[in-house]
Amino acid sequence: MATLGKTLVRCPRRTPAFPLHCRRLPSPSAASCSPLPSTSSSFPSFSLPVSSRHPVVSKAVEAESAETSFAKNDGAERVRIVCLVGDGAVSPLKGASWSDVMLHTVERLKWVDEGYEMRVFSDSLFRCGDDVDSAESKEVRDELMCADILVNVAITDAGSVEWINRNVDGILNIISFDSSPDLISRLGGLLVGNESGRGRGGGFFGKILESFGSEESKESAEVVETVSEAWLRRNTDDIRFCLLVIINAYIRPVAILKNLRSKGFSTLNCMMTNCGTQVLDCLLDPNCRKALQCLNQCSPVDQVCNYRCIASYESPKLEAFSLCVLQKNNCLELDAKIPEKPQVRPMTEFREKKISHEIAEDLFVGWLGSLDWSWRVVAGQNPAYDQFPCQYQLFYHGKAKGSFWYEPVFQVKTLEGNIVWRRRKYRVKRGKIPGTFNFSVLDNGVVSNEFWTIVDVSDDLGWGLFHYSGAARVAGQSYTGAVLVSPNGEYPGEADQDRLKAALDKCKIKEWELFDVSNGSCRDPPLGIPDGSSLHKSVVASRHLPKSEEATEVREVQI
């Protein structure tokens, strides 16, 4: 093990591994700490309870307009977070550096609350120890004196561990991920043992070492379990969620989490008073009962688990149960709204023509008519839904004047090992701006509303990027995501990479955040659309036509 001493004094001074956004703070006391400047950030897709598990918490539920904002501070004190990252450490997110991942989290946190401030530093700034008192290492110490939370990520260097442990006496909340077990960890002032690889899910923390058995230690143990499970999911939504859980538990309430706790007797009373028949029918139905048992086994932070339970065991009885308990009577007393951020602007031109509502709808219709589907999903940004393989999109005009529909068809490997196809049906209405749309769906008894934006589509319809923000109001969940689509499910070629990156930047999404959808074994998808439906109004998808002809051809295709 390396030691701090004269040998470390000879260690060369290093420059910061990534930008330092905030000014230096005075170091006398935490009381002298002044507010940090604001930087923008993002909204979590996970909005689930810290202290309780709900029997039914799924993707869906009615949402409100896309203009509703969560990112309001209302004069509350700022929450200060310092993140220390191992120099050059690589994350499991498609090889992105941990420094890039945590800097991206800085931006995403701001979408939850403007009062959340996080500074990110490389341990290269202080790895040489106090004997080399650089301006950078002093800045880190000054920030630590004002920090509410310290997050250590991929800190393994012995010198860094010793330096950190000597400079964190005043911080009540310290968590370490993928780091040395010798780092001090505590939550709410209670020491938490680092037992990497032990505990449920290979958690990052072990038992509570102080006041074991007290109410405080039990709460800390629940927070530890929640944070550990979320971190193991290895995506930016859950990394952000880990921080929100700690803020909510130990610093001040997080607005999007405040309604996500069990109401106990009032919930049970509501269910039995209003939905006794549906509850009994569900319990007597094997599939419905399995769905409830499965959901109750899921971690409350795990949307992937929750939605897989729904998709695995969906049935008319489950739909009736959810419709009564959640949608009609809101027995969980929850209320989520569509997040306002990120504000993603739609594309304004296609093939040098100004986007109209008609053209935008045609871009959704895509290849349907030339192929049996509009688009196939290549990759997506939401971990709950992009787990499913073989995703087909069907967009079409209905018989009724002005009606427009979206039907995703996707494969599910059930928890019992069966491969099944699932299909949903969304009503689609035009937004105020061409290229934006409002979607709504009844999914297993629960209404979900989403706001979609056509971010970009290549001139030859070789690929497209669609962004969405949604809310499951009575299930208390809000989410954002994006889907990258192409006609054959393959990733865009090298020639399109710059344009694709620009489109992702509009969504505040990094390429390494995308989850690749498996399109390897997709036999006999249940496609097809209703008789009397119509497709394109002005844009016809055919890569065999010259662009000049294709851009001017107008026709309506009847099915």
Side-chain angles (χ1 to χ4, degrees):
M1 178 179 289
T3 57
L4 295 174
K6 293 183 179 179
T7 55
L8 287 180
V9 175
R10 296 195 295 270
C11 179
R13 175 175 171 179
R14 304 190 186 192
T15 56
F18 33 93
L20 305 176
H21 299 291
C22 303
R23 65 176 179 82
R24 290 181 57 200
L25 296 173
S27 58
S29 69
S32 67
C33 296
S34 56
L36 300 175
S38 296
T39 53
S40 53
S41 209
S42 139
F43 174 81
S45 15
F46 290 135
S47 317
L48 298 160
V50 173
S51 64
S52 63
R53 297 175 186 266
H54 293 314
V56 178
V57 182
S58 72
K59 165 198 176 211
V61 182
E62 183 180 0
E64 300 185 6
S65 76
E67 280 73 35
T68 305
S69 174
F70 287 130
K72 294 181 180 179
N73 190 28
D74 295 330
E77 291 184 8
R78 294 183 181 271
V79 176
R80 295 169 174 270
I81 306 169
V82 173
C83 179
L84 304 180
V85 181
D87 184 32
V90 177
S91 79
L93 281 72
K94 295 186 176 180
S97 70
W98 270 122
S99 62
D100 286 343
V101 172
M102 298 314 294
L103 282 171
H104 190 47
T105 303
V106 172
E107 183 181 21
R108 293 170 67 86
L109 277 171
K110 284 291 183 183
W111 293 357
V112 182
D113 193 314
E114 290 290 343
Y116 299 160
E117 306 285 358
M118 185 164 80
R119 298 289 310 279
V120 181
F121 299 94
S122 167
D123 73 339
S124 65
L125 301 181
F126 51 78
R127 187 175 286 180
C128 293
D130 286 331
D131 294 320
V132 178
D133 194 11
S134 67
E136 291 85 357
S137 65
K138 187 175 187 304
E139 180 170 21
V140 178
R141 281 201 304 274
D142 289 345
E143 294 288 358
L144 289 173
M145 294 186 71
C146 302
D148 297 301
I149 302 172
L150 169 63
V151 182
N152 298 310
V153 178
I155 300 290
T156 57
D157 178 78
S160 297
V161 171
E162 190 167 346
W163 188 95
I164 292 169
N165 286 342
R166 287 203 313 269
N167 286 277
V168 296
D169 286 346
I171 305 177
L172 297 180
N173 302 292
I174 305 171
I175 57 174
S176 300
F177 299 110
D178 298 356
S179 298
S180 168
D182 295 324
L183 283 163
I184 293 173
S185 292
R186 53 180 170 250
L187 291 173
L190 291 176
L191 289 177
V192 179
N194 277 330
E195 297 183 356
S196 182
R198 300 182 186 179
R200 181 178 176 181
F204 296 92
F205 306 112
K207 63 183 180 180
I208 304 301
L209 299 180
E210 290 184 1
S211 305
F212 190 78
S214 69
E215 287 301 316
E216 292 82 1
S217 67
K218 289 177 181 177
E219 180 179 1
S220 292
E222 287 183 335
V223 172
V224 163
E225 181 179 354
T226 299
V227 170
S228 298
E229 290 178 347
W231 183 268
L232 286 171
R233 272 176 252 302
R234 304 299 195 186
N235 65 75
T236 52
D237 288 335
D238 280 310
I239 291 170
R240 180 177 57 244
F241 181 76
C242 289
L243 300 178
L244 296 179
V245 169
I246 295 170
I247 293 170
N248 188 65
Y250 300 109
I251 300 173
R252 61 176 171 85
V254 174
I256 60 174
L257 300 184
K258 68 180 180 179
N259 290 326
L260 299 178
R261 296 179 181 271
S262 174
K263 302 301 187 295
F265 179 77
S266 64
T267 295
L268 182 60
N269 183 60
C270 172
M271 291 172 60
M272 299 313 298
T273 300
N274 300 294
C275 308
T277 299
Q278 291 83 356
V279 171
L280 182 61
D281 287 347
C282 182
L283 294 176
L284 294 176
D285 179 76
N287 262 0
C288 192
R289 186 170 62 250
K290 287 179 183 178
L292 296 188
Q293 292 169 342
C294 178
L295 288 164
N296 208 40
Q297 295 288 325
C298 291
S299 163
V301 303
D302 192 348
Q303 277 189 327
V304 174
C305 178
N306 282 311
Y307 201 61
R308 180 174 289 162
C309 290
I310 295 292
S312 293
Y313 299 117
E314 63 181 50
S315 68
K317 300 294 186 183
L318 178 62
E319 181 174 359
F321 174 91
S322 301
L323 184 64
C324 186
V325 171
L326 293 177
Q327 192 59 47
K328 290 183 177 180
N329 294 287
N330 193 12
C331 288
L332 298 183
E333 302 177 43
L334 302 178
D335 185 16
K337 297 177 175 62
I338 296 177
E340 183 183 63
K341 296 183 178 182
Q343 295 179 344
V344 181
R345 296 186 178 277
M347 64 187 301
T348 57
E349 291 187 351
F350 179 72
R351 297 175 183 164
E352 301 181 350
K353 288 188 175 182
K354 185 177 180 180
I355 286 284
S356 64
H357 289 295
E358 291 76 16
I359 290 176
E361 288 171 348
D362 279 357
L363 295 182
F364 267 154
V365 173
W367 288 87
L368 189 57
S370 298
L371 299 172
D372 292 332
W373 53 84
S374 297
W375 298 96
R376 297 189 66 179
V377 178
V378 180
Q381 192 267 334
N382 190 298
Y385 318 125
D386 301 317
Q387 61 165 313
F388 298 117
C390 302
Q391 297 185 33
Y392 295 83
Q393 295 185 328
L394 303 170
F395 288 91
Y396 59 90
H397 297 273
K399 287 183 180 181
K401 183 178 180 180
S403 64
F404 194 56
W405 300 92
Y406 164 53
E407 298 196 35
V409 177
F410 54 97
Q411 213 175 66
V412 174
K413 183 176 182 180
T414 71
L415 294 169
E416 296 179 345
N418 300 316
I419 302 297
V420 297
W421 288 97
R422 299 302 190 200
R423 183 164 176 159
R424 306 288 185 252
K425 186 170 184 176
Y426 290 73
R427 181 183 297 276
V428 181
K429 295 185 177 181
R430 296 173 177 177
K432 294 179 180 179
I433 301 172
T436 65
F437 298 85
N438 295 296
F439 287 41
S440 62
V441 64
L442 182 67
D443 188 345
N444 283 280
V446 181
V447 174
S448 181
N449 286 345
E450 299 173 356
F451 183 76
W452 282 57
T453 301
I454 298 180
V455 184
D456 201 1
V457 177
S458 65
D459 289 352
D460 63 354
L461 298 185
W463 62 274
L465 183 68
F466 309 145
H467 182 272
Y468 59 87
S469 299
R473 184 179 64 84
V474 295
Q477 294 187 5
S478 302
Y479 50 91
T480 62
V483 286
L484 174 63
V485 298
S486 71
N488 54 11
E490 295 179 1
Y491 218 88
E494 189 65 31
D496 292 304
Q497 291 307 302
D498 289 343
R499 183 169 172 179
L500 173 57
K501 183 181 182 303
L504 290 169
D505 286 344
K506 288 174 64 178
C507 304
K508 306 297 183 182
I509 293 173
K510 304 296 184 183
E511 191 278 334
W512 42 261
E513 289 186 271
L514 297 177
F515 297 84
D516 295 334
V517 172
S518 174
N519 288 308
S521 179
C522 307
R523 300 176 64 179
D524 302 322
L527 303 175
I529 59 177
D531 291 340
S533 303
S534 61
L535 303 180
H536 305 91
K537 302 293 185 181
S538 58
V539 177
V540 179
S542 174
R543 299 174 97 170
H544 303 294
L545 290 174
K547 288 184 180 178
S548 58
E549 292 181 46
E550 188 178 357
T552 57
E553 183 174 349
V554 177
R555 70 177 182 179
E556 182 171 333
V557 180
Q558 297 288 337
I559 300 297

